[in-house]
Amino acid sequence: MLLQRAILDAIVRGEVSVQFRRWTRPSVKVGTVLRTAVGELEVESLRTVALERITKADARRAGTTVEDLQGWLSRREGTVYRIGLRYLQPDRRVALREDDALDDAAVRELAARLDGIDARSKRGPWTREVLRLIEARPAELAAELAASLGREKLPFKADVRRLKELGLTESLEIGYRLSPRGRAFLEREPAVGGPPSPIA
């Protein structure tokens, strides 16, 4: 569920608390936590509504006018849903990725997490290779990074999201870069017994 930055900022300020979407099947449910550019949002409510029953008050709470909202929804197919949203907290990954004070125990814990991901991968180990690739080629299109490994873009992006969950990478407008935590991990892992895994 994509939200424009202006709407996200208004949700944080408490000015917007609902959104409307037209879906053939809902992409969220009550309790879903959305990670966004401004932090985490929670879906508080989800219900269907007839297009013609959307009120001016509904539209105002969605950050728009009823005319614009009904016009936008009328150009889409599916059932109209009213989604109640509330701001939870800043994205915890932001603080995590800035934490580069990694002692040996923290490095070993991260290494074990990455080893576990590699062990479960059907194509074999990939985590250090992707980290080193992002280190060497920041702010490069995901499609180009994926192609350099002989991979498709979408599965590659899914893998990078797993590294992001550990606070090791950051998404840019184009491509990625290592976070301070990611850089510290790659620098310290060889010293505590991990593989350097350079890119050829």
Side-chain angles (χ1 to χ4, degrees), residues 46-120:
L46 179 69
R47 62 180 176 85
T48 60
V49 61
L51 180 63
E52 64 275 10
R53 294 184 67 85
I54 296 175
T55 66
K56 290 182 179 180
D58 288 330
R60 187 165 53 250
R61 292 178 67 192
T64 185
T65 65
V66 69
E67 293 81 10
D68 285 347
L69 180 57
Q70 289 180 336
W72 181 75
L73 290 169
S74 67
R75 295 191 294 272
R76 285 154 175 80
E77 296 183 355
T79 303
V80 178
Y81 288 86
R82 182 186 188 277
I83 307 110
L85 297 167
R86 74 180 181 101
Y87 176 70
L88 280 180
Q89 61 189 358
D91 189 336
R92 288 166 287 186
R93 295 173 301 179
V94 174
L96 182 63
R97 73 192 186 201
E98 295 299 320
D99 181 9
D100 60 355
L102 301 180
D103 59 17
D104 288 358
V107 172
R108 291 192 184 98
E109 180 181 353
L110 273 172
R113 298 281 296 276
L114 295 178
D115 289 343
I117 293 172
D118 286 339
R120 293 187 294 272

Side-chain angles (χ1 to χ4, degrees), residues 3-13 36-38 41:
L3 297 166
Q4 295 179 347
R5 181 57 189 252
I7 293 296
L8 291 172
D9 289 338
I11 292 172
V12 174
R13 294 193 300 267
T36 74
V38 298
L41 311 180

Side-chain angles (χ1 to χ4, degrees), residues 160-173:
V160 176
R161 283 196 295 272
R162 299 184 74 179
L163 300 175
K164 186 176 181 179
E165 289 294 324
L166 296 175
L168 299 175
T169 65
E170 301 178 44
S171 295
L172 305 175
E173 187 172 344

